[in-house]
Amino acid sequence: MKTLYAYFALEMVKSFTLTLIALTLLIVMGGGVASMFSSQGLGADEIGSIFVYLIPVAVLYMTPVAALFAATVTFGRSASENEILACKAAGINLHRVLSPSIFAGILAGAITFAGFNFLIPEMAWQVEDITRRDLPKLVANRFLRGKPLIYAKRVAVSAEKCVKIDPKDLPEGYQEGFSFLRLTGVAFQEMNVNELVRIGTADETIIKFDNTASTPEITLELQHGRSYDAQRRQYIEFDYQLIGPIRFPMAIRRKIQFEKLPTLIDFQANPIKVPEIDDLMHGMRKCMKKYFLAEVFRDHITKSRGGDGRITLKDENAEITLEASEGFRTDPDNGKIELLGVTARVSEVGNPIVRNYSAKLAEIKLNDGIAAHSPIIQIELRDDVRYTIEGADAKIVRKPKETLPAVLFEAQDEMQKAFTGFNELEVLEDDFSIPIFKEDLDKRKKLLKVFRKYNSEIRGEIHFRIAIAVAVLPMVLMGAMLGIILRGGQVLTAVFISCIPGLFVLLAFLIARNFANQPEYGLTPVFIVWGATAVLYGGVGVIGFRFLKR
């Protein structure tokens, strides 16, 4: 019996090896696997490096197909040459003859499970790492072509010259995962939506690339520059200023299909860890900060809440005390705060001059700051604005409007405490009850749509990967049994026979994946993949015990 098992096993190994080589070359050379990766902006060296990873990916994808075809052609040929008939005549149980196909199915299933859940995602990480390492080169090439570099539609930078800094020239304390570019003759512009914030130039700028985060981040270090602050209408000269960190989108976008199984399970338990959901959640965090900003102002200004009509805002650069004698209101559409009958006392660090303002109206808004995740509170006085300098002659200066120094939201202890005490996962719940402003409702609807889509995709992907690995065994066994019954020794006949279980699995799982991309179908894709797997096992049982005689 051992000799018989070894004979069938050797025949299967030969068929499996030849089939796997042929399919791998067909897929890789034909570009099927390469289409999974976008190589936009990459040079020939990088594309060649990526191509090296495509071969093992193709091998892993083709392993179940090669095992199915090998089992079908091996046992089909044995049946057509009456070898199976000889085994039956010798009283050998055909179910035992199929042992090599059972072993091949289990091995192929294990390889499929490991490949889909660990090896292919790891190769996707390696491909992304290639683009991360080449990110400074991509940015430098953009400058060489005379095109500005635009970050998140907020910051645009152009330069006359750009060179990469050699790691040997970096100061002590250089960290692995960081790379740098040096720009000269720099012009920059900062925007907040469609509103100009600042425009200026700098003699030199260092761009720092942080590749340690899930999404690369860029920080600009401006040196010896001049800028115009459009909101405060002031010209400023500086020796050093920082812009960022700002997230930089990758040319190759990672997909749920290329995440490891433990990562998918983690994403399902904590969806905010999904990069796309986290990006949208960043916008919702600002919405919630805007809500808590309004609530803290209401608590301090409104007497019905125990307020005394006064609030103080301060950070490391400025301190502003506001008083509103005639009331407080918020715009229910955009959350803009308005104080009526306002007086303000403003002092700035490093500036001995203290200004006292009065105005009929003050508008308070929460704007995006230069640093990521750090919004600023912007106050603009309007209608009959007057100010005097404290301790000087009582000379009153009148202005139509005045923008006060911005202060960081994170520096306001009461507001920050209210925000950090809020569980942001509540935003993803259907019974979310905090009355956010109308313009923020659309952001939450978009967030919920993306969250539900990813949640459905992740759930479907987890079940798909496990089910496809479990389904390989009955698929290979069914191919071997059909080969015996239909005596499919010829290659074309074997291809046709192996297509029966192969197409069934392929169609079922493609339909399930399509449904998984549509959250409204709920658990339907899970039922489809496991239902198809159960049908396969049932088919193997029926064919093995009813049509394949012992």
Side-chain angles (χ1 to χ4, degrees):
M1 288 296 294
K2 291 183 178 180
T3 303
L4 183 64
Y5 294 154
Y7 167 73
F8 282 116
L10 181 61
E11 290 298 312
M12 282 194 65
V13 168
K14 289 191 292 185
S15 298
F16 173 81
T17 304
L18 292 174
T19 304
L20 187 60
I21 292 173
L23 290 175
T24 299
L25 291 175
L26 178 64
I27 293 298
V28 173
M29 300 307 294
V33 178
S35 63
M36 296 187 301
F37 302 110
S38 169
S39 59
Q40 298 176 357
L42 297 178
D45 293 343
E46 289 73 28
I47 295 176
S49 300
I50 290 174
F51 201 77
V52 171
Y53 292 102
L54 301 183
I55 296 176
V57 169
V59 169
L60 292 169
Y61 272 114
M62 291 298 104
T63 294
V65 179
L68 169 61
F69 182 80
T72 304
V73 73
T74 297
F75 287 95
R77 183 195 57 76
S78 296
S80 65
E81 295 180 359
N82 296 320
E83 293 176 354
I84 298 297
L85 182 63
C87 290
K88 292 172 65 176
I92 300 174
N93 190 329
L94 290 186
H95 295 157
R96 297 182 64 185
V97 172
L98 290 172
S99 297
S101 65
I102 295 175
F103 176 78
I106 294 174
L107 182 60
I111 292 173
T112 300
F113 181 84
F116 276 51
N117 291 301
F118 299 99
L119 301 179
I120 292 176
E122 180 61 30
M123 292 171 193
W125 266 112
Q126 296 298 328
V127 170
E128 183 173 324
D129 186 57
I130 292 173
T131 62
R132 283 173 179 266
R133 294 197 304 265
D134 204 46
L135 188 55
K137 181 179 177 181
L138 299 179
V139 173
N141 287 339
R142 189 172 183 88
F143 285 124
L144 290 175
R145 294 195 300 267
K147 295 183 178 181
L149 190 63
I150 301 175
Y151 304 93
K153 298 181 180 180
R154 288 176 45 215
V155 179
V157 179
S158 60
E160 294 178 356
K161 186 178 179 181
C162 174
V163 295
K164 185 175 181 179
I165 301 177
D166 193 306
K168 297 178 181 178
D169 299 331
L170 294 171
E172 294 184 5
Y174 167 75
Q175 296 177 335
E176 188 69 27
F178 289 80
S179 51
F180 300 83
L181 288 178
R182 176 180 285 112
L183 311 180
T184 54
V186 178
F188 63 92
Q189 174 182 287
E190 297 175 35
M191 300 288 293
N192 181 30
V193 191
N194 295 321
E195 183 180 353
L196 178 65
V197 176
R198 186 169 59 146
I199 188 169
T201 61
D203 296 339
E204 185 175 277
T205 296
I206 303 297
I207 302 182
K208 180 175 72 174
F209 298 86
D210 181 1
N211 294 321
T212 60
S214 58
T215 302
E217 293 182 342
I218 290 180
T219 302
L220 277 74
E221 300 176 2
L222 305 173
Q223 299 175 10
H224 310 298
R226 297 145 297 280
S227 67
Y228 172 70
D229 189 325
Q231 295 184 338
R232 299 180 63 183
R233 296 182 295 281
Q234 291 182 353
Y235 287 96
I236 301 172
E237 290 191 7
F238 57 85
D239 291 326
Y240 179 87
Q241 280 195 8
L242 206 63
I243 297 179
I246 301 172
R247 291 184 176 184
F248 192 88
M250 295 296 299
I252 294 178
R253 299 292 295 174
R254 300 201 61 189
K255 298 180 180 180
I256 291 299
Q257 290 88 337
F258 298 148
E259 297 291 351
K260 295 181 180 180
L261 182 61
T263 303
L264 290 177
I265 294 173
D266 189 31
F267 282 170
Q268 194 172 40
N270 191 355
I272 295 180
K273 291 185 178 181
V274 178
E276 286 76 7
I277 295 178
D278 183 54
D279 287 342
L280 292 174
M281 184 60 78
H282 170 58
M284 279 307 302
R285 291 187 187 107
K286 181 185 173 183
C287 296
M288 297 311 303
K289 289 177 180 179
K290 185 163 53 174
Y291 168 78
F292 290 118
L293 171 68
E295 287 298 295
V296 171
F297 263 85
R298 195 188 307 273
D299 290 341
H300 281 267
I301 302 299
T302 307
K303 292 183 179 180
S304 60
R305 289 200 179 187
D308 58 1
R310 173 186 295 184
I311 186 170
T312 298
L313 308 173
K314 62 180 179 179
D315 62 10
E316 60 182 9
N317 297 316
E319 178 175 333
I320 303 172
T321 300
L322 297 171
E323 291 189 40
S325 60
E326 298 179 14
F328 162 92
R329 64 191 180 204
T330 56
D331 189 325
D333 292 329
N334 56 29
K336 181 175 62 179
I337 301 170
E338 293 184 345
L339 304 181
L340 306 177
V342 181
T343 60
R345 183 179 185 274
V346 180
S347 61
E348 297 182 72
V349 175
N351 186 352
I353 297 176
V354 177
R355 290 182 172 87
N356 293 304
Y357 291 88
S358 66
K360 292 182 179 180
L361 177 69
E363 289 185 354
I364 296 96
K365 296 186 294 184
L366 193 67
N367 292 333
D368 289 327
I370 295 174
H373 310 296
S374 183
I376 57 175
I377 302 171
Q378 196 74 60
I379 305 169
E380 186 172 76
L381 304 178
R382 292 186 174 183
D383 297 342
D384 193 23
V385 179
R386 310 179 184 188
Y387 78 85
T388 60
I389 297 177
E390 191 170 277
D393 295 337
K395 180 181 178 181
I396 299 177
V397 180
R398 298 175 183 268
K399 288 187 173 184
K401 63 180 181 179
E402 176 74 4
T403 300
L404 303 184
V407 292
L408 291 172
F409 178 93
E410 278 72 12
Q412 316 312 310
D413 294 338
E414 191 173 353
M415 298 175 192
Q416 186 67 6
K417 182 178 179 181
F419 173 72
T420 54
F422 164 72
N423 182 6
E424 58 186 17
L425 288 175
E426 294 180 16
V427 175
L428 302 176
E429 297 176 358
D430 293 331
D431 58 350
F432 180 67
S433 58
I434 293 180
I436 58 178
F437 303 106
K438 289 183 180 179
E439 74 171 13
D440 299 332
L441 290 176
D442 290 337
K443 295 180 182 178
R444 181 171 179 265
K445 288 179 181 178
K446 182 178 180 181
L447 172 63
L448 287 177
K449 182 179 179 180
V450 173
F451 161 68
R452 288 165 182 160
K453 178 177 181 294
Y454 270 98
N455 189 49
S456 179
E457 285 184 4
I458 291 170
R459 181 178 59 229
E461 185 68 21
I462 292 173
H463 286 275
F464 165 78
R465 292 186 185 182
I466 297 174
I468 192 67
V470 173
V472 171
L473 172 60
M475 188 170 64
V476 173
L477 263 178
M478 185 174 290
M481 292 177 180
L482 290 176
I484 292 174
I485 294 171
L486 301 177
R487 306 171 77 85
Q490 298 297 322
V491 173
L492 290 179
T493 306
V495 169
F496 172 76
I497 294 172
S498 61
C499 281
I500 297 174
L503 283 177
F504 173 76
V505 171
L506 178 64
L507 289 175
F509 281 69
L510 283 178
I511 292 172
R513 269 200 161 170
N514 183 56
F515 284 164
N517 294 333
Q518 305 174 57
E520 60 269 21
Y521 286 102
L523 295 174
T524 300
V526 176
F527 292 138
I528 291 176
V529 294
W530 287 111
T533 304
V535 169
L536 269 180
Y537 276 95
V540 167
V542 170
I543 293 173
F545 290 98
R546 291 197 61 180
F547 296 99
L548 188 67
K549 296 181 180 180
R550 300 165 64 89

